[in-house]
Amino acid sequence: MFWQFTLYRLSGARLRVQTVLEFHNEYGHVQTVTGTRRMTWDDFIAGHPGEPTRLGIEVVRVRVTNVGRSPVSVDNIALDIGRSSRLRRGRSSVVPWSFRNIDASEPELNKPTSGPTRLEAGSTTSRVYHLWPLVEYHADRDGEIVIRGTATAAGRRPTLSRRKFAWRFTTGDESWFLDSGVTPDVRVYRELWRHSYDEMVGGIPRIMRREVVRKLEEGASKDELQAYLDEVGRSDELGRYYGVVAFDAHKAFHKCEPDPKPAGGEGEPSNDDDQD
């Protein structure tokens, strides 16, 4: 009877879930590591020859493989964040922003999918998500967040990635890499990438990332940064959208919200060195 039950389980749908750290750097190169806990930047980059650059986007790929012998419908491919510290009832999962890169050849990157997916025996599917600001929000709120991949086969309980490879973050963490502090240009780059998903903004601010950071380093206000983006974009119609981009980029660079207008009066730069 035991063997009959075992054979029944093995003949059905079984999932294997893995979390893959992908680092999409500013040059369009993708560096990955699978089945591991968080590591240092030096250890990560040692296994990836090429020009090392810390300017990039950290994303998580939740990879799901049907290791059973029959087809299965898979849904709820997401990130498991454990049990609520308040309720301690059941597990919680979240679906962050899907990462998208229209220049990528992989369909899942240039046109992310959602909803149920049919997996034949031995086939694989995945979803790619932004890690930030999701991790930062939950770590700051709860003091700690432990992330695992999760997916659900039709008619079954959720399957989680292996506990030994869970990613643990605490309050103040800003990067998957253990020894890599996030610099202002990285924070700005994250914001510019996120805004590039808005078709009314597009990729111009992200393409001009170095100029945006340089102007912020030179002390540009939010309004001055918006004026620069308006000029580069050459479209007054998009001004209000570039205004949001300029606000978020300025906030990310300085880690505080910009003043509504310069202290010296509208249109005049402030003489207060501490304002930014």
Side-chain angles (χ1 to χ4, degrees):
M1 192 71 178
F2 171 78
W3 286 111
Q4 288 180 331
F5 176 73
T6 301
L7 289 173
Y8 168 75
R9 291 195 62 188
L10 292 177
S11 64
R14 293 185 299 126
L15 301 181
R16 181 175 64 214
V17 180
Q18 297 173 294
T19 52
V20 182
L21 186 280
E22 293 188 353
F23 183 72
H24 294 247
N25 72 29
E26 61 175 322
Y27 304 119
H29 302 151
V30 183
Q31 298 152 313
T32 68
V33 60
T34 307
T36 181
R37 296 178 179 177
R38 294 172 64 200
M39 62 176 61
T40 65
W41 169 258
D42 288 342
D43 287 342
F44 173 77
I45 208 65
H48 299 86
E51 183 176 358
T53 171
R54 189 60 188 86
L55 193 60
I57 305 295
E58 300 170 12
V59 302
V60 54
R61 181 185 293 269
V62 182
R63 179 185 293 155
V64 183
T65 304
N66 180 4
V67 296
R69 297 182 179 179
S70 60
V72 63
S73 178
V74 180
D75 201 2
N76 299 324
I77 302 175
L79 297 181
D80 177 272
I81 58 173
R83 291 181 171 84
S84 170
S85 59
R86 298 176 177 84
L87 300 178
R88 306 300 296 178
R89 295 179 181 178
R91 305 189 67 86
S92 299
S93 63
V94 293
V95 179
W97 285 322
S98 293
F99 176 77
R100 188 169 75 246
N101 184 355
I102 61 174
D103 297 323
S105 59
E106 182 186 347
E108 185 56 40
L109 292 180
N110 58 43
K111 193 175 181 180
T113 57
S114 61
T117 298
R118 178 181 171 85
L119 280 184
E120 299 295 331
S123 61
T124 298
T125 189
S126 62
R127 302 290 186 271
V128 185
Y129 300 120
H130 282 271
L131 273 174
W132 312 95
L134 169 95
V135 169
E136 188 174 13
Y137 169 78
H138 284 280
D140 287 349
R141 187 191 69 175
D142 301 327
E144 180 181 79
I145 179 175
V146 179
I147 288 180
R148 299 165 69 184
T150 180
T152 305
R156 295 182 177 252
R157 298 178 64 181
T159 300
L160 301 179
S161 59
R162 298 179 64 182
R163 185 190 302 272
K164 67 179 292 186
F165 296 139
W167 298 345
R168 187 180 303 273
F169 299 89
T170 57
T171 300
D173 284 345
E174 293 184 294
S175 172
W176 186 88
F177 303 104
L178 295 170
D179 62 342
S180 182
V182 174
T183 55
D185 59 334
V186 173
R187 293 196 299 267
V188 170
Y189 189 56
R190 288 175 177 174
E191 290 298 322
L192 298 182
W193 194 290
R194 179 173 65 88
H195 279 291
S196 71
Y197 295 155
D198 187 338
E199 62 181 10
M200 299 300 286
V201 172
I204 290 178
R206 175 163 59 91
I207 293 172
M208 305 303 295
R209 58 191 177 275
R210 293 191 180 279
E211 287 74 12
V212 168
V213 170
R214 179 175 58 80
K215 287 190 174 295
L216 289 168
E217 289 174 340
E218 294 172 351
S221 67
K222 187 273 290 184
D223 291 337
E224 290 170 337
L225 185 58
Q226 178 183 347
Y228 167 74
L229 291 174
D230 285 341
E231 180 180 358
V232 172
R234 299 188 183 282
S235 176
D236 293 337
E237 182 182 352
L238 300 184
R240 63 191 181 95
Y241 294 96
Y242 285 152
V244 175
V245 176
F247 180 92
D248 287 343
H250 192 284
K251 179 180 178 181
F253 185 87
H254 296 283
K255 300 192 75 170
C256 66
E257 293 190 3
D259 289 339
K261 63 181 180 179
E266 186 172 359
E268 299 177 11
S270 170
N271 291 325
D272 185 354
D273 292 336
D274 296 329
Q275 180 170 326
D276 287 337

